[in-house]
């Protein structure tokens, strides 16, 4: 085995890189191999990217290509994007994986440093080479939507915090002395934030309207009552316009945190099936809002929820089933490029029979 695994630990200003050359370690990775593995730190900018590739070629004495070398790093948002794009443009294999997945693969770890982390990531890349997924850059429109989605969420958080503070100031104004200035100032800030949120949403719509592909998907998935702008954008952004997850609603439901899993061990441990906390809280909140809206305005979803309640299901269980059902419908609408109708499920069954 003569492959090269390069682990990268990203931070805002620098990144650490460790190289595991299987040709020099005889295909083995142990504590001794990691201790002797070449390590260096570089600036997280274009000049640093060039130097890092030159350094890897120097310490390995070999030319790098996508077949013999794999670069691996944690998904750290903006910190990892520039280098990932730089390597992709040069035809090299860059794998950006979940930080949680990488950390869980390390077993018991004592101590932490950027050097040690880059070595552990290199070891992870070597041991899980067969699971590597080539990095794909987001479409510019989807990337812009993602930034607007995150910025809007930030503005909503600021508005909520200011409203809560205003409420407390008003409630305790009799013991706080002069509070009218603070209250008026807070009200102006809330108003300004609300206007910025609206402008952010308008910009989202502009981007969607300007892209035929995104508009087609958006129109389909928002044709079901309960899914509007923010939920629609979330599905487009976090599935890469439904190109990730292989149009598998179970995988999407897992990522959204609404898929349930059992817990069994031997004959004595038989836990209840329930959702896993390892998911995005924001996405779970959004799909919960969509489910509540669908129960109120969509007759079929409402009937489905009421049937479960009549069968003795707890409200939380019934709601989670509605969320799963919504995700299955949304995924099907996006995959089939079709609009939702009240007879959608019956039409689909007839089509499958035919």
């Amino acid at each position: 085995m003569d492959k090269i695994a390069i682990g990268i630990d990203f931070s805002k200003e620098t990144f650490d890189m460790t190289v595991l050359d299987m040709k020099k370690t005889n295909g083995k990775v142990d504590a001794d191999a990691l201790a002797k593995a070449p390590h260096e730190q570089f600036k997280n900018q274009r000049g640093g990217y060039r130097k890092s590739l030159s350094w890897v070629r120097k310490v390995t004495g070999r030319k790098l290509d996508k077949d013999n070398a794999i670069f691996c790093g944690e998904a750290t948002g903006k910190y990892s994007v520039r280098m990932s794009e730089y390597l992709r443009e040069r035809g090299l294999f860059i794998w950006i994986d979940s930080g949680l997945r990488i950390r869980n693969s390390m077993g018991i770890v004592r101590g932490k440093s950027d050097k040690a982390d880059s070595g552990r990531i290199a070891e992870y890349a070597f041991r899980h080479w067969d699971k590597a997924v080539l990095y794909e850059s987001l479409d510019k429109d989807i990337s812009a939507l993602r930034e607007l989605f995150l910025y809007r969420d930030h503005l909503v958080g600021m508005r909520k915090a200011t409203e809560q503070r205003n409420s407390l100031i008003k409630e305790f104004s009799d013991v706080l002395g002069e509070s009218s200035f603070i209250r008026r100032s807070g009200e102006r800030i809330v108003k300004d934030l609300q206007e910025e949120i609206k402008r952010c949403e308008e910009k989202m719509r502009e981007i969607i309207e300007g892209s035929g592909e995104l508009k087609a998907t958006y129109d389909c998935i928002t044709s079901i009552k309960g899914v509007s702008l923010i939920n629609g954008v979330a599905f487009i952004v976090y599935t890469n316009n439904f190109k990730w997850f292989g149009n598998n609603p179970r995988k999407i439901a897992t990522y959204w945190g609404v898929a349930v899993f059992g817990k069994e061990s031997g004959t004595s441990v038989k836990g209840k099936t329930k959702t896993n906390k390892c998911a995005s809280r924001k996405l779970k909140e959004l799909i919960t809002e969509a489910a509540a809206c669908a129960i109120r305005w969509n007759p079929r979803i409402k009937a489905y929820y009421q049937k479960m309640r009549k069968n003795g299901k707890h409200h939380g269980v019934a709601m989670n089933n509605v969320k799963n059902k919504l995700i299955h419908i949304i995924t099907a609408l996006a995959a089939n490029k079709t609009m939702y109708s009240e007879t959608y499920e019956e039409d689909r069954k007839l089509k499958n029979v035919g």
Side-chain angles (χ1 to χ4, degrees):
M1 180 178 287
D2 60 354
K3 293 185 177 181
I4 307 167
I6 303 103
I8 310 171
D9 183 59
F10 293 102
S11 62
K12 182 178 180 180
E13 297 181 356
T14 62
F15 64 90
D16 285 69
M17 187 177 278
T18 296
V19 177
L20 282 175
D21 189 343
M22 299 301 106
K23 194 173 184 179
K24 296 181 179 180
T25 63
N26 295 319
K28 296 180 180 179
V29 177
D30 52 24
D32 186 55
L34 283 172
K36 294 178 180 179
H39 162 267
E40 190 59 78
Q41 186 179 85
F42 304 92
K43 293 288 185 182
N44 197 352
Q45 55 191 26
R46 198 169 187 85
Y49 309 152
R50 288 196 300 267
K51 290 180 180 178
S52 67
L53 291 185
S54 297
W55 174 76
V56 174
R57 295 188 192 99
K58 180 179 178 181
V59 298
T60 60
R62 287 193 277 165
K63 181 180 178 181
L64 303 178
D65 58 52
K66 63 180 180 181
D67 295 321
N68 74 342
I70 183 170
F71 293 80
C72 182
E74 293 183 4
T76 54
K78 298 175 181 63
Y79 300 161
S80 60
V81 169
R82 287 180 177 172
M83 186 173 187
S84 299
E85 290 290 344
Y86 182 87
L87 295 173
R88 184 188 64 82
E89 290 169 1
R90 278 148 187 78
L92 296 172
F93 197 111
I94 172 67
W95 177 22
I96 299 297
D97 206 352
S98 160
L100 179 62
R101 186 179 292 114
I102 293 174
R103 287 192 293 275
N104 285 344
S105 74
M106 294 177 180
I108 299 174
V109 175
R110 295 178 177 85
K112 174 178 172 55
S113 69
D114 294 338
K115 177 181 178 180
D117 285 347
S118 64
R120 290 162 184 158
I121 294 172
E123 180 183 5
Y124 174 81
F126 166 67
R127 296 191 185 281
H128 301 277
W129 198 296
D130 58 322
K131 298 178 182 178
V133 177
L134 182 64
Y135 167 83
E136 290 183 29
S137 57
L138 285 176
D139 174 83
K140 288 184 178 180
D141 288 333
I142 296 179
S143 182
L145 273 180
R146 181 179 183 276
E147 291 306 312
L148 286 168
F149 177 86
L150 294 174
Y151 181 56
R152 180 192 177 278
D153 187 51
H154 173 68
L155 292 175
V156 170
M158 291 174 62
R159 183 189 64 185
K160 184 177 180 181
T162 306
E163 286 175 337
Q164 288 175 342
R165 181 171 178 79
N166 287 354
S167 178
L168 285 173
I169 291 292
K170 185 177 181 179
E171 183 178 354
F172 294 96
S173 59
D174 58 324
V175 295
L176 293 177
E178 176 55 48
S179 60
S180 57
F181 165 76
I182 300 174
R183 189 170 63 253
R184 288 196 301 271
S185 175
E187 289 171 354
R188 286 196 300 272
I189 291 171
V190 169
K191 184 178 178 180
D192 290 342
L193 286 170
Q194 186 60 39
E195 290 177 356
E196 286 301 309
I197 291 169
K198 287 182 179 178
R199 280 194 282 267
C200 194
E201 292 173 353
E202 288 171 2
K203 188 64 179 176
M204 287 181 181
R205 291 188 179 94
E206 285 179 17
I207 293 173
I208 292 170
E209 289 293 327
S211 169
E213 185 180 359
L214 295 187
K215 188 176 187 307
T217 301
Y218 178 79
D219 288 345
C220 290
I221 65 178
T222 56
S223 62
I224 179 171
K225 290 179 180 179
V227 181
S228 55
L229 176 66
I230 304 307
N231 259 296
V233 169
F235 272 100
I236 289 173
V237 166
Y238 287 96
T239 65
N240 191 18
N241 198 23
F242 292 88
K243 293 176 183 176
W244 295 339
F245 302 107
N247 285 326
N248 186 323
R250 170 71 178 180
K251 291 182 178 179
I252 295 175
T254 300
Y255 192 81
W256 256 249
V258 299
V260 295
F261 298 89
K263 185 178 181 180
E264 294 185 6
S265 180
T267 58
S268 59
V269 178
K270 292 188 181 296
K272 294 181 179 180
T273 57
K274 58 183 180 180
T275 60
N276 194 292
K277 293 182 180 180
C278 182
S280 168
R281 182 180 296 179
K282 171 52 59 179
L283 295 179
K284 195 167 185 176
E285 288 175 358
L286 288 175
I287 197 65
T288 299
E289 292 173 3
C293 185
I295 290 171
R296 184 177 181 183
W297 298 107
N298 188 309
R300 293 190 64 80
I301 298 296
K302 182 178 181 179
Y304 176 71
Y305 170 78
Q306 290 176 338
K307 180 181 178 181
M308 297 201 68
R309 292 290 282 151
K310 286 180 181 179
N311 290 337
K313 298 294 183 182
H314 186 272
H315 166 72
V317 175
M319 277 292 290
N320 199 71
N321 279 324
V322 169
K323 297 174 200 176
N324 268 292
K325 189 175 185 67
L326 269 180
I327 288 175
H328 277 71
I329 293 173
I330 290 166
T331 305
L333 293 174
N336 298 323
K337 294 292 185 291
T338 186
M339 307 292 279
Y340 180 79
S341 67
E342 296 298 331
T343 59
Y344 174 77
E345 293 187 35
E346 286 80 358
D347 295 342
R348 186 178 61 177
K349 289 177 182 178
L350 289 173
K351 184 178 180 181
N352 290 337
V353 171

